Amino acid sequence: MINALCAIAVGIQNNIPAEKILEGISEFELTKNRMEIVDGKKGTKIINDSYNANYDSMKAALQYLSNVSSDKKIAILGNMGELGDFTEEMHNKVGEEVYHNKIDILITVGDSARYIANKAIMLGMDKYNVFMCDTNEEAVKKANELMKEGDCILVKASNSMNFKEIVERLKNN
């Protein structure tokens, strides 16, 4: 909404006719794999945010998931790339967000994502609801075992983790 208002303001400032401004806004499409809501197997909803990840976007996505009306909130989270010396710290901070946003089930993929899982457990998340996977295939298998109708699943990691593959495997096809 705010972005649309900004676009309108810029259009008006540049003397673009109102019809053209509205046409441009109505034809706008978000980039795929960014907070895209899709139907999943077994009557689930999937939040496909598999395009990229950093701490701020992970935090925002987890907050969004926590506010979704669903029976169970499942987060499938992977490594955030290009963090250098801050890798452990930033993944730990995501683990804090998982805990504080009361995510029901956490599935992680990747070495750095283990920091997310371990931090969530350390803060008090039930260790039996946390699953550390080595591969996307393992994460899909675990998610398929756990998800039920009415659940919402967030899928988020850096693009290099190829989490769009997880989304495709969890969708209704």
Side-chain angles (χ1 to χ4, degrees), residues 1 5 7 14 32 42 44 46 53 98 131 142 154 160:
M1 179 65 145
L5 291 173
N14 289 293
K32 296 288 185 199
K42 302 180 183 178
T44 60
I46 299 169
V98 168
F131 305 90
K142 183 51 68 180
L154 168 65
S160 62

Side-chain angles (χ1 to χ4, degrees), residues 93-153:
K93 286 180 73 168
V94 172
E96 291 172 13
E97 294 300 326
V98 168
Y99 176 75
H100 292 304
N101 284 289
K102 298 177 175 45
I103 304 307
D104 298 304
I105 294 175
L106 173 63
I107 301 170
T108 63
V109 181
D111 292 336
S112 296
R114 290 180 182 277
Y115 293 120
I116 298 170
N118 288 327
K119 184 60 143 186
I121 292 168
M122 187 188 87
L123 291 172
M125 187 170 183
D126 186 341
K127 67 181 179 182
Y128 296 107
N129 290 331
V130 178
F131 305 90
M132 293 178 254
C133 301
D134 294 318
T135 65
N136 291 354
E137 176 68 31
E138 189 181 341
V140 168
K141 182 178 178 189
K142 183 51 68 180
N144 277 323
E145 290 171 12
L146 298 169
M147 66 188 195
K148 292 182 174 46
E149 183 176 353
D151 293 348
C152 188
I153 305 157

Side-chain angles (χ1 to χ4, degrees), residues 19-37:
E19 301 81 34
K20 286 286 189 194
I21 295 171
L22 293 176
E23 180 182 326
I25 290 171
S26 68
E27 293 175 358
F28 176 77
E29 288 186 30
L30 289 172
T31 305
K32 296 288 185 199
N33 305 324
R34 290 187 189 233
M35 294 303 287
E36 181 181 24
I37 311 296

